[in-house]
Amino acid sequence: MASTTAIPDLDRLRPAGTKRSSKRDLIVNVFLKQEGHLSADDLVVLIKREDERISRATVYRTLQWMEEAGIARKVDFGEGRFRFEHSYRHPRHFHLICKTCKRSYEFLSSDIESLVEEVAAARAFTANQSVVQIYGTCESCSTGRAPEEPSNSELLFARDALRIAIATERSGMEFYGRGVKLVKDPRAREIFRKLATEEVHHLKTLEARYDELLKQDPLLESRPTFLFFKGAANGLFAAGTDQLRRDGVDDLEAYRIGIRCERGSHRFFKRYGARFEDSEGKQVFLEFAEEEREHLELLIREYRALVKRQRTPGHKALVAPKRPKAVRAKARSRTASR
Ligand SMILES: [Zn+2]
Ligand SMILES: [Zn+2]
């Protein structure tokens, strides 16, 4: 995985007809190594340290160029001047801004984003950018504890994306494990077992990737949460597992519940992943979305095949006969005690 200090292909970004300038390359390199939010003057100071012949005007011009080229993003913290952060492999995010020490902390929240989308849709508003800034006092300023060192948001994003994907895999595994015990059709049982096994493999791959990521920063596990994630795909499969426990769930219903879970999961990871700038976290989401799509398609195919088989004359064993209430209740208490 490339780290945030990896340099984008400047030749590709350079406007046609302009020549490569070593001054500009130097400014871009210095800028991309910064994790925080710099004012133009902060950058001038850093550049002067490297090469004092580079003028303030050149730094300003280059910043403007970087913004147009999509390497830098302008952020307004309400201080009467803009700050800049690099956007190369750096997902869009929200900010917590300390009024005392002026430090800013980055975070993302899928729940805030979906709320914004909901509001915009309800008002038929086409939103193309939302800015969330929370002003107040940071932990360090209110407790006197040492401030957290700035961390690489790409790594944090990848860490959190992996954690979410791992949690989803785990609940998917439970869902299919539960399904194996429930379905009666031998073919359906085989499919649920296959999917449960696949989730175990995916889980192992994701966990290996997570361990790889931790090697890049020994403190990564203990750093604060970057991606807040409550709603959306979270708990999708857990809810599905609960539905499987309900009374009267036959094989077709089990497939339908699985289809709903996989579809929801696929949509979430795809839509959420598509929004981000190129990064490890984006990759995790998009690859995961792809796996969920394969599962979804398999389930839909198998669901249709089962419907067909059940319609075939003489194929009666697959439709569970309606049992009297008392028997069903007994069956339920058996399941519950398992
Ligand atoms: Zn502070
Ligand atoms: Zn930021």
Side-chain angles (χ1 to χ4, degrees):
M1 184 193 112
S3 79
T4 5
T5 46
I7 304 306
D9 183 357
L10 295 179
D11 287 326
R12 192 176 52 80
L13 293 169
R14 185 150 35 92
T18 55
K19 275 209 262 159
R20 179 165 201 138
S21 131
S22 58
K23 277 187 198 169
R24 176 179 284 175
D25 285 2
L26 176 99
I27 298 170
V28 172
N29 286 336
V30 169
F31 178 71
L32 288 178
K33 281 190 190 118
Q34 309 307 312
E35 279 305 327
H37 304 88
L38 299 178
S39 68
D41 291 334
D42 293 337
L43 186 61
V44 169
V45 172
L46 290 170
I47 297 299
K48 291 271 183 201
R49 246 183 247 161
E50 299 284 325
D51 183 348
E52 56 178 41
R53 290 164 308 170
I54 297 179
S55 70
R56 176 175 296 265
T58 305
V59 175
Y60 277 38
R61 252 197 328 272
T62 307
L63 254 180
Q64 200 185 342
W65 174 81
M66 285 195 282
E67 203 199 337
E68 283 157 16
I71 305 169
R73 258 196 307 257
K74 227 184 209 174
V75 279
D76 184 356
F77 287 164
E79 308 164 302
R81 59 174 180 175
F82 286 110
R83 286 178 179 270
F84 296 85
E85 60 187 15
H86 68 79
S87 50
Y88 180 68
R89 297 182 75 90
H90 190 172
R92 250 180 212 293
H93 50 265
F94 304 135
H95 294 105
L96 295 159
I97 301 152
C98 178
K99 281 292 204 183
T100 309
C101 67
K102 310 284 183 216
R103 273 193 201 91
S104 59
Y105 304 89
E106 304 183 332
F107 73 99
L108 262 179
S109 157
S110 59
D111 306 276
I112 293 180
E113 285 174 16
S114 40
L115 181 65
V116 168
E117 275 169 23
E118 199 183 296
V119 170
R123 303 285 294 263
F125 187 85
T126 311
N128 45 33
Q129 196 197 343
S130 48
V131 175
V132 175
Q133 300 188 341
I134 304 173
Y135 293 93
T137 312
C138 74
E139 189 189 15
S140 151
C141 287
S142 54
T143 62
R145 231 176 280 156
E148 52 180 77
E149 11 159 350
S151 37
N152 175 331
S153 2
E154 190 194 352
L155 277 185
L156 291 182
F157 176 44
R159 177 200 66 182
D160 294 349
L162 278 169
R163 283 179 180 170
I164 291 162
I166 286 171
T168 311
E169 287 288 5
R170 259 197 207 120
S171 58
M173 204 173 73
E174 271 161 40
F175 174 82
Y176 291 113
R178 174 84 213 153
V180 171
K181 288 188 202 149
L182 180 97
V183 294
K184 310 268 181 311
D185 178 68
R187 168 87 190 162
R189 200 174 302 137
E190 195 188 306
I191 293 299
F192 274 75
R193 185 166 293 130
K194 174 182 149 71
L195 287 168
T197 318
E198 268 181 32
E199 303 285 19
V200 175
H201 286 307
H202 290 166
L203 191 59
K204 282 198 185 124
T205 319
L206 288 172
E207 281 169 346
R209 203 158 166 182
Y210 188 78
D211 291 340
E212 262 321 292
L213 198 68
L214 294 186
K215 285 184 196 154
Q216 295 188 43
D217 173 2
L219 295 175
L220 193 59
E221 282 234 274
S222 60
R223 292 193 190 279
T225 306
F226 175 72
L227 178 57
F228 288 84
F229 185 89
K230 275 205 232 86
N234 200 14
L236 215 60
F237 282 99
T241 309
D242 285 344
Q243 284 164 10
L244 283 185
R245 284 203 182 93
R246 269 186 219 153
D247 218 17
V249 173
D250 59 12
D251 293 8
L252 285 177
E253 181 61 14
Y255 270 134
R256 279 193 293 265
I257 296 170
I259 287 168
R260 274 203 299 277
C261 294
E262 293 286 359
R263 183 178 283 137
S265 180
H266 164 70
R267 279 198 186 143
F268 172 80
F269 285 103
K270 192 173 171 202
R271 273 184 48 219
Y272 209 60
R275 271 195 265 224
F276 296 117
E277 284 79 16
D278 186 29
S279 61
E280 168 99 357
K282 182 193 181 90
Q283 270 321 103
V284 169
F285 275 6
L286 292 182
E287 285 170 28
F288 193 66
E290 203 42 39
E291 284 168 7
E292 300 295 67
R293 190 182 58 81
E294 281 165 22
H295 289 176
L296 174 64
E297 284 170 359
L298 174 68
L299 287 173
I300 293 174
R301 267 198 315 274
E302 290 297 328
Y303 172 78
R304 289 187 182 142
L306 181 58
V307 170
K308 227 179 191 171
R309 284 205 301 282
Q310 290 189 348
R311 278 196 197 133
T312 313
H315 227 290
K316 50 195 179 300
L318 302 176
V319 194
K322 269 225 176 291
R323 287 175 291 177
K325 247 194 172 125
V327 181
R328 279 216 303 272
K330 215 187 247 168
R332 192 173 47 224
S333 67
R334 249 204 325 268
T335 329
S337 62
R338 221 179 275 165

